């Protein structure tokens, strides 16, 4: 535990100390958040807040690699960098052109599928991840390699985007992602995974000092897609794919709300929610403040984490 805790503390101190300097740099470079016109009035006042603050989380991968320069850690770091690169392209487009639309969804998906397929192929061939999906105890489904690659690629890309949807309120993704990283820290037998997860928790805690309501800077896709990619691949590495619907419950709820809203509006002209992703709905319909929504979603994420841990410990791998 101490071997992972010290790097995590170092990451927390570095992020919390260097963040004000980085936020000032983002302002100087005019890398600021444009706001979609359809968002509520309390979001319109956030226009001009520094964007791409998620770059500060790169401190975590540097610290992780410094303390554990192993093949698995290199894989985790490269995964984080590749997904962050996609988010960076989107954020830079938004900030430099003041275009809230960003890079096209098609372009981002092409990159995501390309990177995910390549990473999965390496994971299976170089690091020996098998094609089984555990259900409970000694029962698992062994998929043909091609089918496993298709299923898991869709899962990783879908999950990464679902996690990206969650980054919509001040502090929301950070608060929800910490329990998810903690789950992988608890279940893993790999020192590299434990180190990476605890360091990321340290980074997010330092990040949240400046990102909780009212946020002084926004994570942007640079951070949210990177978190999405790393968490999705951690599920594959730890062979807990069966737990993902519950472990990623908040993320999938955010994504599903968008899908249902679009489907309903196209088919009937009616909206199910006041606005999606669903975190906006709670504010508009029930009058919840951002802090209340973030606290509630974070609490649900912790509950899902401990339920998944119980299933993992007593049912999946007793």
């Amino acid at each position: 535990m101490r071997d992972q805790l010290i790097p995590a503390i170092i990451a927390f101190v570095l992020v919390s100390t260097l963040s004000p300097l980085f936020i000032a740099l983002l302002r100087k470079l005019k890398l600021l958040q444009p706001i979609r016109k359809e968002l509520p009035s309390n979001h319109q006042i956030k226009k001009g807040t520094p964007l791409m603050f998620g770059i500060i989380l790169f401190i975590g991968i540097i610290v992780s690699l410094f303390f554990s320069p192993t093949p698995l850690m290199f894989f985790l770091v490269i995964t984080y960098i590749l997904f962050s690169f996609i988010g960076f392209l989107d954020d830079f487009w938004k900030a430099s052109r003041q275009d809230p639309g960003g890079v096209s969804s098609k372009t981002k998906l092409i990159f995501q599928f390309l990177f995910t397929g390549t990473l999965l192929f390496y994971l299976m061939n170089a690091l020996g991840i098998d094609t089984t999906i555990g259900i409970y105890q000694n029962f698992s489904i062994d998929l043909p390699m091609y089918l496993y690659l298709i299923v898991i690629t869709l899962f990783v890309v879908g999950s990464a985007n679902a996690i990206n949807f969650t980054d919509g309120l001040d502090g929301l993704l950070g608060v929800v992602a910490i329990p998810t990283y903690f789950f992988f820290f608890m279940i893993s037998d790999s020192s590299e995974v434990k180190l990476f997860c605890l360091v990321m928790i340290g980074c997010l805690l330092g990040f949240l000092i400046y990102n909780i309501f009212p946020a002084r800077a926004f994570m942007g896709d640079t951070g949210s897609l990177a978190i999405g990619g790393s968490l999705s691949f951690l599920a594959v590495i730890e062979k807990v794919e069966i737990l993902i619907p519950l472990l990623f419950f908040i993320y999938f709820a955010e994504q599903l709300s968008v899908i249902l809203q679009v489907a309903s509006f196209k088919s009937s002209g009616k909206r199910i929610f006041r606005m999606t992703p669903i975190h906006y709905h709670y504010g508009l319909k029930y009058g919840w403040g951002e802090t209340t929504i973030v606290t509630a979603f974070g609490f649900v994420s912790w509950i899902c984490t401990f339920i998944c841990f119980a299933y993992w410990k007593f049912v999946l791998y007793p």
Side-chain angles (χ1 to χ4, degrees):
M1 175 73 172
R2 187 178 65 178
D3 292 340
Q4 292 97 35
L5 189 59
I6 291 174
I9 292 173
I10 291 172
F12 168 79
V13 171
L14 288 174
V15 170
S16 57
T17 302
L18 296 178
S19 285
L21 298 176
F22 187 62
I23 292 172
L25 177 62
L26 290 172
R27 285 194 178 279
K28 186 175 181 180
L29 296 174
K30 300 187 183 302
L31 296 173
L32 309 175
Q33 173 75 61
I35 301 295
R36 290 184 289 134
K37 293 180 180 180
E38 64 269 21
L39 289 180
S41 58
N42 62 322
H43 286 266
Q44 297 301 324
I45 61 175
K46 298 180 181 183
K47 183 178 181 179
T49 302
L51 186 60
M52 300 166 67
F53 187 35
I55 294 175
I56 198 72
L57 299 178
F58 268 70
I59 288 174
I61 65 173
I62 294 170
V63 170
S64 297
L65 203 54
F66 177 81
F67 281 92
S68 181
T70 66
L72 179 55
M73 186 61 78
F74 270 104
F75 177 83
L76 292 171
V77 166
I78 291 171
T79 298
Y80 190 94
I81 291 172
L82 289 177
F83 277 86
S84 184
F85 169 75
I86 301 169
F88 174 84
L89 292 179
D90 194 44
D91 286 341
F92 189 76
W93 181 289
K94 291 176 183 176
S96 62
R97 299 172 179 243
Q98 285 299 289
D99 173 15
V103 175
S104 71
S105 298
K106 182 179 179 180
T107 300
K108 289 188 287 185
L109 283 173
I110 290 172
F111 275 116
Q112 288 176 50
F113 277 107
L114 177 63
F115 291 161
T116 300
T118 304
L119 288 166
L120 273 175
F121 185 80
Y122 175 82
L123 191 63
M124 295 169 65
N125 287 275
L127 298 180
I129 298 296
D130 61 43
T131 60
T132 61
I133 296 178
I135 306 299
Y136 60 88
Q137 215 157 357
N138 295 320
F139 178 73
S140 61
I141 300 174
D142 190 1
L143 298 176
M145 181 177 289
Y146 76 91
L147 183 57
Y148 182 83
L149 279 170
I150 293 172
V151 170
I152 299 303
T153 297
L154 291 172
F155 150 70
V156 170
V157 172
S159 297
N161 281 286
I163 292 170
N164 186 40
F165 274 126
T166 309
D167 183 35
L169 299 179
D170 296 358
L172 179 57
L173 181 55
V175 168
V176 173
I178 285 174
T180 316
Y181 277 116
F182 186 66
F183 170 80
F184 292 115
F185 168 78
M186 287 193 297
I187 71 167
S188 183
D189 291 327
S190 165
S191 59
E192 295 97 330
V193 170
K194 285 183 173 294
L195 173 63
F196 180 80
C197 290
L198 212 58
V199 166
M200 286 306 301
I201 290 172
C203 284
L204 287 171
L205 288 172
F207 168 86
L208 282 171
I209 295 173
Y210 306 93
N211 187 241
I212 56 174
F213 183 81
R216 292 174 55 183
F218 295 144
M219 178 185 294
D221 288 7
T222 306
S224 59
L225 270 177
I227 290 172
S230 67
L231 286 174
S232 300
F233 269 99
L234 283 170
V236 178
I237 291 168
E238 294 299 325
K239 305 304 298 177
V240 292
E241 298 94 337
I242 191 65
L243 296 178
I244 294 309
L246 181 57
L247 184 64
F248 286 11
F249 177 79
I250 291 293
Y251 314 126
F252 287 149
E254 296 273 34
Q255 186 179 53
L256 185 60
S257 69
V258 175
I259 294 171
L260 292 175
Q261 184 87 321
V262 172
S264 176
F265 189 75
K266 285 186 175 181
S267 62
S268 66
K270 296 181 180 179
R271 290 180 172 86
I272 301 173
F273 307 101
R274 291 284 296 274
M275 183 175 287
T276 57
I278 199 170
H279 53 253
Y280 294 123
H281 176 77
Y282 286 97
L284 291 171
K285 184 173 178 63
Y286 302 109
W288 289 15
E290 288 195 41
T291 302
T292 302
I293 297 170
V294 170
T295 301
F297 279 38
F299 179 76
V300 172
S301 185
W302 277 109
I303 294 297
C304 292
T305 290
F306 287 116
I307 293 174
C308 285
F309 177 74
Y311 187 91
W312 172 85
K313 185 174 180 62
F314 299 110
V315 180
L316 189 56
Y317 298 114

